[in-house]
Amino acid sequence: MNQEGSKPLRAALYLRVSTGAQAVKDLSVPDQRKQLEEYCRRKGWQVVREYQEASSGFQGSRSEFDKMLEEAKYGERRFDLIVVHSYSRFFRDEVEAELTIRALQKRGVQVVSITQEVGQGEMGDLLRRFIMLFDEHSSRETSKHVKRSLRENARQGFWCGGPTPYGFRTYVASHRGETAKKKLEPDPIEAEVIRKMFDLLENGDGQSGPMGVKSITAWLNENGYRTRSGKNWTIGMVHRLLTNSTIKGDYLYGKKAGIETAVRISVPEIIPAHRFDMAQKILRGRNPKKTPPRDTTSNILLSKIAVCGHCGSGMTISTGKGGKYRYYSCSGEMRRGKSTCPGMRVPMDAFDQFIIETLSNHLFSNQRVREMLLDLMERQAIRRYEKNGQLDQIRAEINEAEKRLRRFYDAMETGAIDPSEPTFKERLAALTEKRNLAKAAEERALAELQPTAKLTEKTVKTFAAFVRKQLSEGTLQFKRQYLRAVLDKIIVNEDSVKIFGANAT
């Protein structure tokens, strides 16, 4: 290609590894570079550019590749050759590759493979196309085998690589020859953040009622909680965590390809399944796309709970005397007429008061309150037992974080780390944040391990009186949230009222 006495041809090297994991391990880029540079030296070509990246030849963004083509096809021509290890490094789709190569040739830029020399002319073009077709076929076959192997690996319960879900980390479960087989386990610190999210969703922070996703996000950021990368939480991140089935012990591998083909992997739970499923009902109930805003903000106490005993339609508001009087009326009869339902209508205020008094007298009698508190204390005792194991893990994380901080400070004192380095502050902040999060998790675990006060008659009476007062004099929002928590349905007939609910029957 090079005429004697003329200027040497200018070469751009394109280096690519097939996967992110291979790039991290740095298996092939140095070797590619060494071979490409040696080939150019033998040919007498001058290396003037290098483009390097890690991505699949089939999918994913190849920013360096696009930049190289942009510089080759437009503006001032800065190189005469693009030198690659093999044509598969350039493109694995033969049609796209051929179109690109022809466009480059029109600009006087040739694509050269150091391992697949084909020569010039029509025969060289034909041989190159044949090689690229074979590479494309081989790559697709390899891809199928890799996917099949990964799915089988997932079926056996092993982690297939990639970023771990928030709340989890990997550990080596076994070895197959020299290959380490990994599984997922809860990360003590991140798992504690997830538990805090669910506590806020269900109960609030002790100063407010149950929180929505937006309020949870604000609370986490205001109280110093940060993401794995040290950034503030966003509403989308929090919602994805609260709805991620992995945290209830149900990880789906390959779900991006469709739920029908996904492989279900059992992992240790962070949140019990029944609690996770209840949280999904809460989130769906608060979703404005599924629950009309007027329903969550209306002043109707028994909306979505009271139903007509004749047709099962919900009871909605109707008024009389120009709005002076309010009633619960059958929405089915109001929409379709008495031909489908004879209809029901009861005075709203009197009916609300009847339901509240019935719950106060039966559900919150001293005896029922004692039973509920005893059940609560039993569940707390079980949770304290479970927390003991978590506390050991958290303390191990604290020790590790403090060791890493001490090593960092020691390196700074000995001059191994220069405080003026651009990354110094970020590294120190990350280590400190890890230690602080671990200590916060320890404080939370210790608080839950405190002995529960002995259940006395005074405690029972005080708590029962408090709830009865809240039902009688509390805000409408409190009453609505509480009733929806304990009641499933109220069936209204002319001569009877049936109340259904796990805690109300």
Side-chain angles (χ1 to χ4, degrees):
M1 280 187 187
N2 209 12
Q3 298 290 334
E4 187 175 348
S6 64
K7 290 183 179 180
L9 294 176
R10 299 164 299 172
L13 310 183
Y14 181 64
L15 307 97
R16 181 177 64 80
V17 288
S18 297
T19 65
Q22 189 177 353
V24 171
K25 296 177 182 178
D26 202 23
L27 292 177
S28 65
V29 165
D31 187 52
Q32 284 184 59
R33 182 184 295 111
K34 181 179 178 180
Q35 292 185 44
L36 294 178
E37 289 177 344
E38 177 61 23
Y39 186 88
C40 290
R41 186 189 64 78
R42 292 199 309 268
K43 292 286 188 179
W45 300 339
Q46 179 186 3
V47 177
V48 296
R49 286 280 192 280
E50 179 183 305
Y51 303 89
Q52 174 192 330
E53 63 194 341
S55 68
S56 169
F58 281 125
Q59 58 189 355
S61 172
R62 293 204 285 171
S63 58
E64 286 297 299
F65 182 80
D66 294 338
K67 178 182 176 183
M68 177 180 68
L69 294 185
E70 185 79 15
E71 294 183 357
K73 292 192 290 186
Y74 307 104
E76 180 185 355
R77 202 176 82 190
R78 298 176 180 177
F79 44 84
D80 309 296
L81 306 163
I82 295 176
V83 185
V84 296
H85 185 269
S86 64
Y87 286 117
S88 65
R89 299 285 171 178
F90 186 71
F91 251 125
R92 284 194 183 138
D93 184 292
E94 190 273 337
V95 175
E96 285 191 57
E98 193 61 27
L99 290 173
T100 303
I101 288 174
R102 290 184 183 183
L104 290 170
Q105 287 174 343
K106 289 180 180 179
R107 285 283 295 171
V109 178
Q110 298 292 323
V111 178
V112 178
S113 165
I114 69 171
T115 58
Q116 298 164 321
E117 294 189 62
V118 296
Q120 301 296 308
E122 292 182 0
M123 185 57 68
D125 289 343
L126 181 62
L127 182 58
R128 183 187 65 244
R129 287 197 291 271
F130 179 80
I131 290 173
M132 296 188 74
L133 277 171
F134 181 76
D135 283 346
E136 180 179 347
H137 171 73
S138 298
S139 181
R140 292 187 185 279
E141 287 300 305
T142 300
S143 177
K144 287 194 294 186
H145 293 318
V146 169
K147 288 179 180 178
R148 185 164 56 247
S149 297
L150 288 175
R151 287 177 61 80
E152 181 58 32
N153 189 63
R155 286 192 186 97
Q156 296 178 23
F158 295 111
W159 178 244
C160 294
T164 56
Y166 187 88
F168 291 86
R169 63 188 181 187
T170 59
Y171 70 97
V172 177
S174 63
H175 285 84
R176 302 280 175 84
E178 296 182 358
T179 304
K181 309 294 284 185
K182 297 181 179 180
K183 290 188 175 183
L184 290 179
E185 66 177 1
D187 179 283
I189 309 304
E190 294 181 354
E192 198 61 30
V193 176
I194 290 175
R195 293 186 186 100
K196 185 64 180 177
M197 290 182 186
F198 275 79
D199 287 347
L200 294 172
L201 177 73
E202 297 166 354
N203 308 308
D205 62 353
Q207 300 177 357
S208 68
M211 292 184 178
V213 176
K214 184 176 180 180
S215 298
I216 293 172
T217 305
W219 190 95
L220 291 171
N221 292 330
E222 290 168 2
N223 286 272
Y225 289 82
R226 294 295 179 264
T227 65
R228 183 180 287 174
S229 60
K231 298 179 181 179
N232 282 339
W233 290 94
T234 66
I235 293 174
M237 291 177 184
V238 173
H239 186 269
R240 282 192 293 273
L241 272 177
L242 290 171
T243 56
N244 184 0
S245 64
T246 306
I247 62 179
K248 70 169 182 176
D250 199 8
Y251 176 73
L252 293 176
Y253 171 75
K255 61 182 177 182
K256 290 183 179 179
I259 196 71
E260 296 83 3
T261 62
V263 178
R264 198 174 299 275
I265 304 175
S266 178
V267 298
E269 67 179 27
I270 294 176
I271 299 296
H274 71 275
R275 189 181 177 195
F276 177 87
D277 294 339
M278 180 59 70
Q280 306 317 298
K281 292 182 180 179
I282 294 173
L283 290 169
R284 286 194 295 270
R286 295 175 184 171
N287 185 350
K289 293 182 180 179
K290 296 184 178 180
T291 304
R294 63 181 178 273
D295 175 58
T296 57
T297 59
S298 75
N299 59 354
I300 304 175
L301 179 64
L302 302 178
S303 173
K304 300 293 184 180
I305 300 177
V307 300
C308 172
H310 293 293
C311 68
S313 299
M315 303 291 283
T316 189
I317 187 172
S318 65
T319 59
K321 297 286 185 179
K324 182 178 180 180
Y325 301 109
R326 302 191 307 163
Y327 300 90
Y328 283 112
S329 297
C330 172
S331 61
E333 184 269 336
M334 293 175 68
R335 290 195 309 270
R336 298 184 294 270
K338 292 186 178 295
S339 61
T340 57
C341 179
M344 281 291 307
R345 192 166 89 155
V346 294
M348 181 174 289
D349 294 338
F351 190 69
D352 287 348
Q353 188 62 30
F354 167 74
I355 295 297
I356 288 173
E357 288 179 357
T358 300
L359 289 177
S360 296
N361 295 333
H362 293 82
L363 184 59
F364 288 107
S365 66
N366 289 352
Q367 180 58 33
R368 287 299 304 274
V369 166
R370 172 180 286 279
E371 293 172 2
M372 287 190 290
L373 289 179
L374 284 172
D375 179 64
L376 175 63
M377 290 172 68
E378 288 178 3
R379 284 188 278 119
Q380 285 179 332
I382 294 172
R383 190 164 185 183
R384 284 199 303 273
Y385 175 78
E386 294 172 346
K387 277 284 178 182
N388 281 317
Q390 295 173 14
L391 189 58
D392 292 339
Q393 289 183 315
I394 291 171
R395 284 173 172 163
E397 291 288 331
I398 293 175
N399 291 334
E400 179 61 26
E402 289 180 339
K403 285 179 183 178
R404 294 181 66 182
L405 266 175
R406 284 196 297 271
R407 288 197 295 267
F408 189 84
Y409 285 126
D410 290 342
M412 183 179 66
E413 291 177 358
T414 59
I417 296 177
D418 186 356
S420 64
E421 290 181 5
T423 60
F424 175 83
K425 290 184 178 179
E426 289 80 0
R427 292 170 64 189
L428 179 59
L431 290 171
T432 304
E433 179 74 10
K434 185 77 172 178
R435 191 269 314 275
N436 292 344
L437 281 175
K439 286 192 171 182
E442 181 189 35
E443 291 175 2
R444 175 174 161 82
L446 286 172
E448 295 195 15
L449 284 169
Q450 293 300 313
T452 305
K454 185 178 179 181
L455 189 61
T456 63
E457 198 63 34
K458 182 179 179 181
T459 302
V460 171
K461 289 182 178 179
T462 301
F463 180 73
F466 168 76
V467 177
R468 286 196 293 265
K469 183 176 180 181
Q470 289 296 313
L471 280 175
S472 175
E473 304 174 12
T475 64
L476 180 65
Q477 182 183 14
F478 173 87
K479 295 176 183 178
R480 281 167 55 84
Q481 288 182 342
Y482 184 80
L483 290 179
R484 290 195 177 196
V486 299
L487 298 183
D488 292 332
K489 185 187 298 183
I490 300 174
I491 299 179
V492 185
N493 285 296
E494 287 86 349
D495 56 355
S496 67
V497 174
K498 297 179 181 179
I499 300 175
F500 295 89
N503 296 319
T505 53

